[in-house]
């Protein structure tokens, strides 16, 4: 394990799979790790991909989801293979994926500065195109509230993740008007995506498409029981979609066994949701909207992603705006209140 620290922030990075099993900021634990990571029966199961055995924190998926072209494991080599350590200092580490992804070399740079976790992935060479996404997960013991940068559309997958565990209607494409983010559910009601979790066992997935012309997209998760908030930021030019993975006890098979509850994946990337790589490389619902679902390989691509862990200010219900300027990140609540912390405002440029 690689351990980084800065101020009251400490991070563990697992080079065996490239994920972040633990991140502590003061007394806060922003990210979720699966409860079976230390269970021998799960770790010895030859039928489980390593990404599921060691499911934790955040990791890079490349390709995202099912690889139905090259036949690789779910979420690709970047989530299932080892990473060589190029350099590791007190607060920063540089790693390289041990195998190529569609011919491309993948480097990872992770840095923590106080409550801020910066991640940069540099993709060199390769051929064709590939899907990808970051895969941060949080757990809300008693639910919470989500806020988003402006979106233009919300979509659901054509097929359910698991039979009998679908929350909302399939194959939806809904335009977004203002802050109205609602999806039609199977029971005839609407669910406001600002609220989590569902009230019953469910495994579901939806895509939020960033507004036209966006450069930095963001999601803010305010957790009730934990009384904190996590800000997730992305380079929207390379990651035009935010995919929400709703995992609330809907998987009743090993290693999940119905105990993966209150978990939300905030998965920023360039992909077609639960569809496989082949569908993402073909013409589809998103490309018809002018939204790419795969990243071109062959040159150099730099994927930038950041997370910030903060206490939840009293009375805050929803974040209206996140701005990066003059070395600060500033959050503005719908009522006008503000919180500001140091942030490398040139990180996404």
């Amino acid at each position: 394990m690689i351990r980084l620290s800065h101020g009251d922030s400490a991070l563990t990075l697992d080079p065996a799979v490239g994920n972040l099993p633990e991140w502590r900021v003061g007394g806060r634990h922003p990210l979720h790790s699966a409860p079976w990571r230390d269970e021998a029966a799960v770790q010895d199961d030859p039928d489980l991909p390593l990404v599921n055995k060691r499911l934790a924190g955040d990791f890079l998926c490349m390709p995202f989801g099912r690889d139905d072209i090259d036949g690789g494991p779910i979420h690709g080599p970047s989530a299932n293979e080892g990473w060589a350590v190029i350099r590791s200092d007190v607060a920063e580490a540089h790693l390289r994926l041990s195998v190529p992804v569609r011919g491309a070399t993948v480097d990872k740079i992770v840095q923590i500065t106080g409550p801020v976790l910066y991640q940069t992935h540099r993709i060199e060479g390769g051929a064709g195109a590939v899907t990808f996404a970051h895969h941060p997960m949080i757990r809300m013991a008693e639910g919470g509230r989500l806020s988003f940068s402006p979106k233009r559309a919300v979509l659901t997958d054509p097929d359910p993740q698991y039979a009998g565990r679908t929350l909302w209607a399939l194959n939806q494409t809904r335009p977004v008007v203002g802050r109205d983010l609602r999806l039609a559910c199977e029971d005839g009601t609407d669910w406001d995506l600002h609220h989590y979790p569902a009230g019953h066992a469910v495994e579901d997935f939806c895509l939020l498409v960033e507004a036209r012309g966006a450069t930095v997209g963001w999601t803010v998760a305010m957790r009730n029981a934990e009384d904190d908030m996590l800000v997730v930021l992305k380079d929207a030019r390379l990651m035009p979609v935010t995919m929400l993975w709703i995992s609330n006890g809907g998987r009743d098979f090993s290693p999940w066994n119905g105990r993966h509850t209150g978990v939300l994946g905030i998965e920023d990337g360039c992909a077609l949701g639960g569809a496989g790589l082949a569908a993402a490389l073909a013409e589809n619902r998103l490309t018809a909207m002018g939204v790419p679902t795969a990243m071109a390989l062959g040159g150099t691509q730099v994927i930038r992603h950041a997370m910030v862990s903060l206490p939840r200010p009293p009375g805050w219900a929803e974040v209206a705006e996140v701005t990066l300027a003059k070395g600060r990140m500033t959050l503005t609540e719908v009522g006008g209140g503000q919180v500001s912390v140091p942030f490398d405002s040139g990180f996404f440029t």
Side-chain angles (χ1 to χ4, degrees), residues 155-161 166 168-173 186 204-205 207 272-276 279 284-285:
L155 294 80
T156 60
D157 283 345
D159 301 306
Q161 292 248 322
T166 299
W168 37 57
L170 299 173
N171 209 29
Q172 296 185 63
T173 301
E186 291 288 350
D204 222 325
F205 200 85
L207 293 86
L272 190 59
N284 56 66
R285 291 184 295 164

Side-chain angles (χ1 to χ4, degrees), residues 147-154 174-182 192 194 208-211 218 318-320 334:
S147 306
F148 305 96
S149 54
K151 309 299 181 193
R152 56 183 283 201
V154 184
R174 284 195 166 192
V176 174
V177 179
R179 300 189 197 282
D180 185 9
L181 287 171
R182 296 176 184 272
D192 182 353
H194 294 95
L208 288 74
V209 183
E210 209 68 29
W218 52 267
E318 184 177 347
V319 172
V334 290

Side-chain angles (χ1 to χ4, degrees), residues 229 310-311 313 316 328-333 337-341:
M229 57 185 180
L310 299 169
W316 275 37
R328 310 285 296 182
M329 181 193 73
T330 301
L331 280 68
T332 303
E333 204 263 346
Q338 290 189 329
V339 169
S340 180
V341 295

Side-chain angles (χ1 to χ4, degrees), residues 16-291:
V17 286
N19 68 19
L20 312 176
E22 185 179 21
W23 179 31
R24 292 183 291 103
V25 184
R28 301 185 297 277
H29 296 264
L31 300 179
H32 165 73
S33 290
W36 55 79
R37 280 177 51 87
D38 297 319
E39 295 178 1
V42 172
Q43 301 309 310
D44 294 340
D45 187 342
D47 296 326
L48 287 176
L50 195 56
V51 62
N52 285 349
K53 291 181 182 181
R54 310 300 297 160
L55 187 67
D58 182 28
F59 49 90
L60 179 70
C61 307
M62 185 177 287
F64 178 82
R66 188 173 72 255
D67 182 354
D68 50 5
I69 290 183
D70 298 324
I74 186 169
H75 291 325
S78 58
N80 291 276
E81 298 286 348
W83 293 71
V85 179
I86 305 300
R87 175 178 51 81
S88 179
D89 297 325
V90 174
E92 181 177 316
H94 176 187
L95 295 84
R96 179 167 297 154
L97 185 60
S98 59
V99 298
V101 177
R102 311 211 82 196
T105 300
V106 183
D107 279 28
K108 177 195 298 283
I109 298 174
V110 179
Q111 179 187 6
I112 54 173
T113 304
V116 185
L117 166 56
Y118 301 99
Q119 293 188 76
T120 302
H121 288 90
R122 183 176 295 273
I123 318 301
E124 299 271 4
V130 69
T131 55
F132 75 90
H134 269 267
H135 199 293
M137 298 169 291
I138 63 173
R139 185 174 185 274
M140 301 180 180
E142 297 179 8
R145 177 80 177 176
L146 302 175
S147 306
F148 305 96
S149 54
K151 309 299 181 193
R152 56 183 283 201
V154 184
L155 294 80
T156 60
D157 283 345
D159 301 306
Q161 292 248 322
Y162 297 97
R165 292 292 185 265
T166 299
L167 174 65
W168 37 57
L170 299 173
N171 209 29
Q172 296 185 63
T173 301
R174 284 195 166 192
V176 174
V177 179
R179 300 189 197 282
D180 185 9
L181 287 171
R182 296 176 184 272
L183 278 171
C185 294
E186 291 288 350
D187 62 5
T189 63
D190 283 350
W191 185 16
D192 182 353
L193 290 175
H194 294 95
H195 295 285
Y196 185 87
H200 60 280
V202 65
E203 192 78 18
D204 222 325
F205 200 85
C206 72
L207 293 86
L208 288 74
V209 183
E210 209 68 29
R212 289 180 176 87
T215 56
V216 179
W218 52 267
T219 303
V220 180
M222 291 188 281
R223 301 191 293 178
N224 293 337
E226 297 80 3
D227 200 26
D228 67 359
M229 57 185 180
L230 178 68
V231 186
V232 183
L233 303 114
K234 66 175 182 178
D235 183 344
R237 294 162 296 190
L238 277 181
M239 292 178 269
V241 298
T242 295
M243 298 170 281
L244 299 182
W245 172 36
I246 312 298
S247 186
N248 191 43
R251 300 189 188 192
D252 55 6
F253 50 88
S254 178
W256 318 85
N257 296 328
R259 54 183 167 160
H260 205 243
T261 59
V263 178
L264 174 70
I266 304 170
E267 303 167 11
D268 293 321
C270 186
L272 190 59
L277 180 58
L281 296 182
E283 291 298 316
N284 56 66
R285 291 184 295 164
L286 282 178
T287 58
M289 298 166 56
V291 180

Side-chain angles (χ1 to χ4, degrees), residues 292-303:
T293 52
M295 177 180 69
L297 298 172
T300 300
Q301 299 279 17
V302 180
I303 303 166

